C-alpha cells in the first residue's frame, strides 16, 4: 500500500541553525501539507501546497519557514534559523483532490 | 481561530468495554474526520463524515456527524488492546483537496489489564 515517507525520523540541531525536513508524498497525489505537533498537544496546520505554490499558511508559518518541491517526488520544509519553540513532531501529508489526507510517520525535531 | 474540544481527555477502560468520545466545535465544519495516533507515529484516518446527520461504521467503530455541524462522536465497541492510542477529531470547511485540517485536543485511550 502506498504511503507517505519522511526523513530523517529524528533531527537534533542547535538554536539558530537551518534544518530541512524531507517528505516523499504518495506518488499520484497533487496536494501536500505540513503539520506540527508539540509534545503532548494537538496537531496544528502549517501550510498547504499545490501546483508549485503555497495555497494557505497558518500564523505559525512565518518568514523563517519555507516549502519547496525540488523535483517530482520530494516535498521539503525548511526552517531558516531554528528556535527552541520549534521543537516538535513535523508531519507531512498528501491527498488527491476531494479526498482524505494521508500522513507520514513524522520527523521529531529537537532544538537545543 | 476555530477550536475543537474533545471529551473526555483520557479514558481508562477494561478490554471488551465499549468506548464513547465526542468532539465539539465553536463553529461549523462541513467534513468531520476521526484519526488515531499511536506513539511516535503519524495520525491514521479511521472514519470520514461528509454530511450532517450521517452515521458511518468501520468495523467496531461508529461515528456520527452532528446535525448542527458543530459536533461529532466516535464509538468503539468491544475494545481490544490495539485500540490503545490517542484519538483526534478533525474538521474541514470544505471536502476539497488543499483544505487544511483543524484538529481537536485528543482523547487518550488506555486499556487496563
Amino acid at each position: 500500500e502506498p504511503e507517505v515517507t519522511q526523513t530523517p525520523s529524528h533531527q537534533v540541531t542547535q538554536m539558530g541553525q537551518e534544518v530541512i525536513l524531507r517528505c516523499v508524498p504518495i506518488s499520484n497525489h497533487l496536494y501536500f501539507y505540513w503539520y506540527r505537533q508539540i509534545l503532548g498537544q494537538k496537531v496544528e496546520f502549517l501550510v498547504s501546497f499545490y501546483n508549485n505554490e503555497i495555497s494557505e499558511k497558518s500564523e505559525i508559518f512565518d518568514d523563517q519557514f519555507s516549502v519547496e518541491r525540488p523535483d517530482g517526488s520530494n516535498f521539503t520544509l525548511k526552517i531558516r534559523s531554528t528556535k527552541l519553540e520549534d521543537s516538535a513532531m513535523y508531519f507531512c501529508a498528501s491527498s488527491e483532490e476531494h479526498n482524505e489526507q494521508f500522513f507520514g510517520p513524522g520527523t521529531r525535531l529537537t532544538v537545543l | 481561530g476555530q477550536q475543537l474540544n474533545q471529551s473526555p481527555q483520557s479514558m481508562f477502560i477494561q478490554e471488551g468495554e465499549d468506548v464513547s468520545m465526542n468532539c465539539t466545535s465553536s463553529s461549523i465544519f462541513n467534513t468531520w474526520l476521526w484519526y488515531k495516533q499511536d506513539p511516535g507515529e503519524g495520525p491514521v484516518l479511521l472514519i470520514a463524515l461528509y454530511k450532517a446527520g450521517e452515521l458511518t461504521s468501520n468495523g467496531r467503530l461508529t461515528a456520527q456527524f452532528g446535525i448542527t455541524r458543530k459536533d461529532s462522536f466516535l464509538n468503539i465497541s468491544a475494545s481490544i488492546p490495539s485500540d490503545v492510542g490517542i484519538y483526534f477529531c478533525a474538521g474541514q470547511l470544505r471536502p476539497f483537496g488543499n483544505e487544511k485540517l483543524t484538529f481537536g485536543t485528543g482523547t487518550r485511550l488506555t486499556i487496563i489489564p
Side-chain angles (χ1 to χ4, degrees), chain A residues 7-19:
Chain A
T7 54
S9 56
H10 190 187
Q11 174 91 47
V12 181
T13 189
Q14 295 288 330
M15 192 169 55
Q17 295 295 305
E18 175 183 286
V19 294

Side-chain angles (χ1 to χ4, degrees), chain B residues 19-59:
Chain B
V19 170
S20 185
M21 60 188 78
N22 65 53
C23 184
T24 58
S25 169
S26 57
S27 54
I28 287 171
F29 285 101
N30 290 301
T31 300
W32 284 88
L33 307 106
W34 284 91
Y35 283 84
K36 178 174 181 274
Q37 186 179 29
D38 292 327
E41 302 285 331
V44 174
L45 181 67
L46 299 173
I47 290 182
L49 302 154
Y50 298 106
K51 194 173 169 185
E54 179 183 352
L55 185 73
T56 296
S57 292
N58 178 9

Side-chain angles (χ1 to χ4, degrees), chain A residues 31-33 35 37 41-43 45 48-50 55-56 89 91 95-101 103-105, chain B residues 2-4 33 35 37 40-43 45 48 50 88 92 95-106:
Chain A
Y31 301 88
F32 313 117
Y33 316 80
Y35 293 81
Q37 184 180 32
Q41 297 187 21
K42 65 180 181 180
V43 178
F45 169 77
S48 57
F49 190 88
Y50 169 69
S55 306
E56 185 177 3
M89 284 289 286
F91 294 107
S95 71
E96 299 176 83
E97 191 171 16
H98 305 298
N99 220 323
E100 297 90 9
Q101 296 176 27
F103 285 76
Chain B
Q2 294 148 328
Q3 299 285 332
L4 291 184
L33 307 106
Y35 283 84
Q37 186 179 29
E41 302 285 331
L45 181 67
Y50 298 106
F88 289 101
Q92 279 182 308
F96 299 148
N98 236 33
E99 177 66 26
K100 69 181 182 187
L101 293 171
T102 299
F103 279 83
T105 48

